[in-house]
Amino acid sequence: AKEQSRRLHSSGPVALAMSFSMLSATSVSLINFALYLAFYTAYSKASKTLESALLWDVVLVRKGVDFTLVELNKAISLTGLTNLILALLLPSLRGGLTWQAMLMLWTHTGYSVLKYYGSPHIPKAETWSRNPMTDFLSSEPKIKLSAVKKFAIVLGWISQLLLAFASLPAATLAAAVGHFYSIEVDYKFKLGVRPYALLPFPLAAAAIALYLYAG
């Protein structure tokens, strides 16, 4: 009975701390997601300003379900990536933020495969037998872009596998950021994302540097 009581008392604070950690991590995730909706989804590339109508188009499904899902998928993927960054910067929330990032990035991966397989973003399986270096050095934009996207997909799967099966936060984040960059560039390696989506790059560099320094 004493042993059982000791276990209950020792596990209670741990369980409570984990609960608060998950609650705080959930709050951070929701804030991240809301910020991406406000400053990424609502940003107009045409006017280069924030337009609330763009956000309402998504929230109210005014341009159709497909448009809303595409935009939410982008916001979810960026929130997941940002969670990975914050997991390095906030050790007390690392477990909760990492777990939620994994769920978001799995969701993003599943949707993206269903939506984009066979498109320039996710080339068909039969094209993967081509020599990647030859394609990468090709003067043909479509072929070169296909090689870049294949590299992005490989980095994405590496980050997903590390996230699920290894405890290598810095390597996981580096692969995830590499995936994000290479999936978004064109064949000239020009990054065309909305400004708020640039935030993960300096944050990730700082997070990895601080994590390695502290470790």
Side-chain angles (χ1 to χ4, degrees), residues 122-156:
I122 305 181
K124 290 185 176 180
E126 54 263 32
T127 67
W128 285 69
S129 60
R130 297 171 59 95
N131 186 321
M133 188 55 66
T134 300
D135 286 356
F136 186 77
L137 297 175
S138 173
S139 59
E140 178 62 39
K142 285 186 177 180
I143 295 176
K144 185 171 186 176
L145 184 62
S146 178
V148 173
K149 300 313 172 188
K150 290 173 185 176
F151 177 69
I153 292 167
V154 170
L155 284 178

Side-chain angles (χ1 to χ4, degrees), residues 35-139:
L35 288 172
Y36 277 112
L37 289 178
F39 295 105
Y40 176 82
T41 305
Y43 181 83
S44 169
K45 286 185 176 181
S47 65
K48 299 187 185 304
T49 59
L50 295 173
E51 297 181 7
S52 60
L54 296 177
L55 178 57
W56 290 120
D57 286 342
V58 173
V59 175
L60 300 178
V61 200
R62 294 195 299 208
K63 290 188 175 181
V65 174
D66 184 66
F67 178 82
T68 289
L69 290 177
V70 167
E71 290 300 317
L72 289 179
N73 181 50
K74 293 176 182 178
I76 288 170
S77 68
L78 286 165
T79 303
L81 177 59
T82 305
N83 271 15
L84 285 182
I85 296 170
L86 294 176
L88 292 188
L89 296 173
L90 304 171
S92 64
L93 301 179
R94 185 165 297 158
L97 287 173
T98 300
W99 173 246
Q100 290 177 25
M102 184 164 59
L103 293 178
M104 292 177 192
L105 295 175
W106 280 350
T107 301
H108 163 66
T109 299
Y111 174 81
S112 296
V113 170
L114 292 173
K115 173 69 177 177
Y116 298 111
Y117 179 75
S119 75
H121 276 83
I122 305 181
K124 290 185 176 180
E126 54 263 32
T127 67
W128 285 69
S129 60
R130 297 171 59 95
N131 186 321
M133 188 55 66
T134 300
D135 286 356
F136 186 77
L137 297 175
S138 173
S139 59

